[in-house]
Amino acid sequence: MPGATLSRWTLAYFAAAMAFLLLAETLLALGVGYPASGLRSAGTLIVVHCVTIGWLSLLMCGALFQFVPVLVAGPIYSNVLPLPALLLIVGGLLALIAGFLQLAGILPVLPPAFLAASLLLGSGLVLVLWTLGRTLAAAWPLNLPAQFVVVGLASVAATAAYGIVFTLGFGGYLHSPWLLGLQSQGLPLHISAGLGGWLTFTAIGVSHRLLAMFMLSPELDGATTRWTFRLGTLALAVLVGAGTVVLAAGGNPGVVLVASGLAGLACLLLYGRDVLRLYRQRVRPAIELNSRMAAVALGHLAVATLLTVVCAATGTLGSYSGLLLFLIAFGWLSGLGLAKLYKIVAFVTWLECYGPVLGKAPTPRVQDLVVEPRAVRWFWLHFAAVDIATLCLVLQAPLLFRAAAAGMLLAAAGIAVELIRTRRLANVRTEMRLPAGAHPPRLLFTFVAS
């Protein structure tokens, strides 16, 4: 990202995301939600939305506010709007959690909680889409990685629309038969558009550029990458477009899910081929921790994809849906997110603190802001705990699952401490820490902004 401007509030998004990850893993360790209770229980819904909205979506939004301007080589549309967007999303998620607590009988019934959640979450995401959309529109025509992001943003809009329908349904605000049909049958589309379109497809597009940049590999823009984009876009268009039409007509979305699943599988296979090329063609012989851990996360995506195919072929997809969603959320998306977070925080901190004095005073390298031999143990603990927890779901051992979740919590807390140390420049030698002209970075925002 040489020469890139900094997003003022990206660090605030990352901090909020880590807080919700720690909250979700604490709840799992305490036995809240699946597998201690059902997939549709209030506890499970709280944990799921802490992970998908609080952790993964805030992480992705924060990363895109920083990374989209780099993709299009232009300034972000607004460095002001991301803060109210963050506050609206967090407020909406807290209202949603309050609504679920009412369903569980823990809080007294207060129907406006679901209405408030819809309004706050919807408004926050509109601000995110507006800011990123205007940034992308100003750089038209877009390069291929940016086109991935556009499809990802369209997917989050579809996911949010379904989510608002469900939320209003929980609050008793739906009376239209068509909307009630979407509420009763649309959950698979909501999950697939969110995990597949918004989070995974956006991560695929962004990772093409990040892996190439951090490993000094030639950027891919050939036939396989373009077909990865086309097939993924086709899968999502069939899923959301045709799926919604089928549901509106009162049909079963099963055929739509199969058709989009086949296109999505072909997309993932081509993506896997591209990733192998990026690792094999890298110029940097010893790859950094974030790229090594990204490879482990990609391995979990491959395993989750294989298991999904096997379950679909054997008719057991419904029985193992919780296990598969857990593996995708924590093994693939969380693993990749933590790995890239570790690098992005260091790079943003370095750019903010030492960028203004480059060439004027001796400065540390980006790698001097982190201590990989110390941090790597937390990443291995995360993946080991996720794998053990997944095995516990297979064996239906909820008590052991809670112990594994505690391991995940410990690993996330360890990585969070490493991120704070990076932000505080605690790993930099004292004589190099703050040369003349540099100022110490703040924890939740950056000084430098366009």
Side-chain angles (χ1 to χ4, degrees):
M1 302 182 217
T5 58
L6 291 171
S7 166
R8 182 182 298 276
W9 299 109
T10 282
L11 274 301
Y13 275 78
F14 289 167
M18 285 300 300
F20 278 107
L21 174 63
L22 294 172
L23 173 61
E25 292 178 341
T26 299
L27 292 174
L28 288 174
L30 293 174
V32 176
Y34 179 78
S37 55
L39 285 171
R40 292 176 181 265
S41 68
T44 300
L45 292 174
I46 291 172
V47 172
V48 164
H49 288 88
C50 282
V51 173
T52 54
I53 298 176
W55 158 233
L56 294 172
S57 291
L58 288 182
L59 174 66
M60 184 65 79
C61 288
L64 289 180
F65 282 133
Q66 177 60 52
F67 194 64
V68 165
V70 177
L71 279 183
V72 300
I76 191 169
Y77 169 70
S78 169
N79 241 329
V80 176
L81 292 179
L83 180 59
L86 173 63
L87 297 175
L88 287 168
I89 293 172
V90 171
L93 179 53
L94 294 177
L96 187 62
I97 291 172
F100 291 141
L101 290 173
Q102 293 172 31
L103 292 181
I106 297 174
L107 290 181
V109 176
L110 189 64
F114 285 113
L115 181 60
S118 298
L119 293 174
L120 292 171
L121 284 170
S123 301
L125 288 173
V126 165
L127 286 183
V128 170
L129 292 171
W130 177 256
T131 304
L132 293 175
R134 290 295 300 265
T135 305
L136 290 163
W140 207 268
L142 299 174
N143 55 42
L144 190 56
Q147 293 176 34
F148 275 91
V149 174
V150 170
V151 176
L153 294 178
S155 298
V156 74
T159 307
Y162 267 98
I164 289 173
V165 169
F166 297 146
T167 304
L168 293 177
F170 279 127
Y173 294 99
L174 293 186
H175 304 290
S176 161
W178 181 66
L179 292 177
L180 289 171
L182 288 182
Q183 185 195 8
S184 62
Q185 297 289 329
L187 185 59
L189 272 61
H190 175 60
I191 294 173
S192 301
L195 291 181
W198 162 228
L199 295 170
T200 293
F201 199 67
T202 308
I204 286 174
V206 171
S207 67
H208 269 105
R209 180 64 65 86
L210 285 181
L211 288 172
M213 186 166 62
F214 292 147
M215 294 193 298
L216 302 180
S217 298
E219 291 194 8
L220 301 179
D221 192 19
T224 56
T225 310
R226 293 189 177 279
W227 274 105
T228 300
F229 173 76
R230 291 166 185 158
L231 288 167
T233 303
L234 174 65
L236 293 167
V238 171
L239 175 76
V240 177
T244 302
V245 171
V246 169
L247 287 180
N252 189 322
V255 176
V256 171
L257 290 173
V258 171
S260 63
L262 290 174
L265 177 62
C267 165
L268 290 176
L269 290 174
L270 290 178
Y271 173 57
R273 185 175 184 275
D274 275 352
V275 168
L276 288 176
R277 287 178 60 195
L278 286 171
Y279 276 87
R280 287 171 177 166
Q281 295 179 1
R282 71 182 188 275
V283 173
R284 179 169 286 161
I287 57 177
E288 298 170 349
L289 177 62
N290 75 91
S291 296
R292 298 203 305 274
M293 293 301 109
V296 179
L298 288 162
H300 282 75
L301 172 62
V303 172
T305 303
L306 178 62
L307 290 176
T308 302
V309 172
V310 171
C311 290
T314 57
T316 58
L317 200 55
S319 302
Y320 292 104
S321 58
L323 178 154
L324 293 170
L325 292 176
F326 177 85
L327 188 57
I328 291 171
F330 287 100
W332 155 234
L333 291 169
S334 295
L336 181 71
L338 289 169
K340 291 307 170 190
L341 189 58
Y342 184 74
K343 179 67 178 183
I344 293 172
V345 168
F347 204 100
V348 167
T349 303
W350 180 86
L351 200 61
E352 175 190 5
C353 189
Y354 303 112
V357 297
L358 279 179
K360 303 174 185 175
T363 59
R365 303 169 304 150
V366 177
Q367 281 304 94
D368 293 330
L369 273 64
V370 297
V371 181
E372 290 191 355
R374 187 179 64 216
V376 69
R377 59 188 177 182
W378 300 119
F379 284 96
W380 284 124
L381 176 59
H382 166 78
F383 285 113
V386 168
D387 292 343
I388 293 172
T390 304
L391 185 61
C392 291
L393 293 177
V394 176
L395 300 175
Q396 298 182 354
L399 288 179
L400 288 177
F401 176 88
R402 290 174 59 180
M408 293 163 53
L409 173 62
L410 179 61
I415 293 171
V417 171
E418 293 294 333
L419 297 177
I420 293 172
R421 289 182 59 85
T422 298
R423 199 65 191 145
R424 294 296 191 201
L425 304 176
N427 300 317
V428 182
R429 288 186 290 122
T430 305
E431 63 272 22
M432 297 281 286
R433 188 170 298 161
L434 283 175
H439 50 74
R442 296 293 185 266
L443 196 59
L444 299 180
F445 63 91
T446 59
F447 281 114
V448 183
S450 59

